[in-house]
Amino acid sequence: MQVHFTTGNPALGADHLHRGSIHLTQAPQSVDERDYGQALPDSNLRRATVALVGVPSRFVPTDVVELLAPFRNSVREIRIFRHAEPPRLPPSLCIVTIACSSKQNATEIYGRLHGTTHQQYRLAMAFVAQVEWQSRPAPPPDGLCVVCLDRLDVSYHVVLTTACDHSFHAACLGRWSDAPCPVCRYLHASLASQATHCATCALGSEEQKSSEERRDLWVCVVCGFAGCSSGNPSSSSHIRDHYDATKHAYAVSVTSQLVWDFGGRNYVHRLVMDGESIDSADAQEHRKLEGLALEYTQLLRSQLARQRDVYEQRLAARAGGVVDAAAEARVVDLKAEVRALERRAARDRKRLEATESDLKFLEEVSSALEGDAAAR
């Protein structure tokens, strides 16, 4: 099976997009211990790699990091690709390649994850035979993770490359939550809005751009049904027909992310005031601000957690009467200095005693000489 993919941030222009294809194979019927038991070197291009196929965009990258956390000692690199052939493989679904340290580890991951369920999503896996690039993205210029500023070395850390072609330590990006990419602010969750199609007429985001009649796409909040409408969703439309059939009252706009209440015939999104919706430009700007606020919140939370750990260690040391390492080193140095001074004082005392003894002897000799002189 061949899956075409694309990577890069579309907001940066076509020059930053890279395309290629991934050749997938089925799992081996049997495992040969000689073949799958040896760890392959980094330079070996036949290193075992497996792939998660059809991963929803809402799962990347944080849920993927959480899913693969038990295998962190077996995984070296994780890379996220966007599907490039809708509607058979819509771009709202991603493919995640997982490069392992050995074929045995790859087979173990395949056996433990394939066919299982993760957050109501059934995992589908395959083995990667080859990855072909039409234009390959350049590696990081400095080879550092921008979150922790440590080297991106697969020998010590699991390296994760996002769909926008930026690489990080998987553990660092896992703590970044669902905030945009720390480098280019690319948001993986936005893939879903690019690939939603009306379930009735198959109108998608690309078709509505070229259509003479402006039609918006809506997704039912209750069951996930996608339907289109022209203007007000309460007018005759496919999303309205869905409401009439199911009485699911809430639908969210794919374009503006506003929520419409069919029962109350009004928007219920918190940005809407006095029953009037905001325009798409303001909604897009607000989503960017929300992303920045979430990113700042995660950064502030991590820094506060570090400060809390530092102060808790200090309080525990003070309560237990234990000083820190620097203070202990200072105490050791002072004790050594005291011992050196004591040895020096002992030597000086011996010299003083010897000098006093010599002085007493000289005084006795002087007294004897004076007596002899007086007797003559």
Side-chain angles (χ1 to χ4, degrees):
M1 178 182 178
Q2 184 177 6
V3 178
H4 295 276
F5 65 82
T6 179
T7 63
N9 190 343
L12 301 179
D15 295 338
H16 292 79
L17 297 181
H18 306 277
R19 294 175 175 82
S21 60
I22 302 176
H23 298 269
L24 302 177
T25 61
Q26 298 295 328
Q29 298 298 326
S30 61
V31 178
D32 186 356
E33 292 295 333
R34 293 178 303 171
D35 187 20
Y36 288 86
Q38 294 181 337
L40 301 179
D42 293 344
S43 59
N44 196 326
L45 298 179
R46 295 182 293 106
R47 179 175 52 188
T49 304
V50 293
L52 283 167
V53 184
V55 181
S57 59
R58 67 179 184 274
F59 283 172
V60 292
T62 52
D63 286 326
V64 171
V65 174
E66 178 184 354
L67 177 66
L68 297 176
F71 310 101
R72 58 181 175 271
N73 294 328
S74 303
V75 176
R76 292 190 174 184
E77 297 180 57
I78 304 172
R79 186 163 196 133
I80 302 172
F81 303 87
R82 295 189 301 269
H83 285 309
E85 285 190 349
R88 178 172 175 265
L89 293 174
S92 61
L93 301 181
C94 302
I95 181 171
V96 181
T97 59
I98 307 165
C100 304
S101 56
S102 69
K103 292 184 178 181
Q104 184 180 12
N105 292 332
T107 306
E108 179 186 0
I109 294 176
Y110 180 94
R112 292 180 59 179
L113 295 183
H114 181 65
T116 60
T117 302
H118 178 71
Q119 297 186 5
Q120 301 181 350
Y121 166 69
R122 187 175 180 85
L123 302 176
M125 300 196 68
F127 281 77
V128 177
Q130 186 180 5
V131 178
E132 295 181 348
W133 291 86
Q134 296 180 6
S135 59
R136 192 178 183 90
D142 49 6
L144 300 178
C145 172
V146 300
V147 179
C148 66
L149 300 181
D150 196 3
R151 291 190 306 115
L152 293 171
D153 190 350
V154 296
S155 301
Y156 303 98
H157 306 281
V158 179
V159 177
L160 187 147
T161 303
T162 60
C164 54
D165 294 329
H166 293 125
S167 299
F168 312 90
H169 295 139
C172 296
L173 200 61
R175 293 192 297 266
W176 208 252
S177 186
D178 292 325
C181 170
V183 177
C184 66
R185 301 301 184 264
Y186 177 78
L187 189 62
H188 288 81
S190 63
L191 294 175
S193 64
Q194 299 174 6
T196 306
H197 292 73
C198 177
T200 304
C201 63
L203 177 69
S205 57
E206 296 298 328
E207 291 85 348
Q208 69 175 346
K209 292 179 181 178
S210 59
S211 177
E212 295 180 358
E213 180 184 3
R214 174 66 181 179
R215 298 184 67 84
D216 296 325
L217 292 174
W218 297 79
V219 177
C220 176
V221 176
V222 179
C223 66
F225 175 86
C228 61
S229 70
S230 57
N232 193 327
S234 292
S235 60
S236 179
S237 60
H238 294 147
I239 191 64
R240 173 69 189 191
D241 296 340
H242 172 71
Y243 165 72
D244 294 336
T246 62
K247 299 303 178 183
H248 294 169
Y250 298 103
V252 59
S253 171
V254 172
T255 304
S256 64
Q257 298 295 306
L258 301 178
V259 179
W260 178 264
D261 178 13
F262 287 96
R265 300 177 61 84
N266 199 354
Y267 287 100
V268 294
H269 195 276
R270 60 190 176 92
L271 293 179
V272 180
M273 304 298 293
D274 300 330
E276 297 181 359
S277 63
I278 62 175
D279 56 24
S280 58
D282 291 339
Q284 181 69 18
E285 182 66 22
H286 183 78
R287 284 197 298 274
K288 292 181 180 179
L289 294 177
E290 282 186 336
L292 293 175
L294 178 59
E295 177 182 338
Y296 175 77
T297 301
Q298 294 296 332
L299 181 61
L300 181 61
R301 183 182 301 173
S302 63
Q303 293 298 321
L304 290 176
R306 292 181 60 184
Q307 291 295 328
R308 181 185 61 190
D309 294 339
V310 171
Y311 283 112
E312 286 181 351
Q313 292 176 2
R314 291 183 178 180
L315 291 175
R318 179 176 297 181
V322 180
V323 296
D324 57 7
E328 290 180 352
R330 179 60 177 168
V331 170
V332 172
D333 294 339
L334 291 176
K335 289 181 177 179
E337 186 176 354
V338 168
R339 288 193 295 269
L341 292 175
E342 289 177 349
R343 290 192 296 268
R344 182 177 179 181
R347 290 194 299 268
D348 292 341
R349 280 196 297 269
K350 290 181 180 180
R351 292 177 181 176
L352 179 60
E353 292 176 356
T355 303
E356 290 177 348
S357 177
D358 294 341
L359 180 61
K360 184 177 181 181
F361 173 75
L362 292 175
E363 289 177 351
E364 291 177 352
V365 172
S366 178
S367 298
L369 294 174
E370 289 178 355
D372 294 341
R376 293 177 183 178

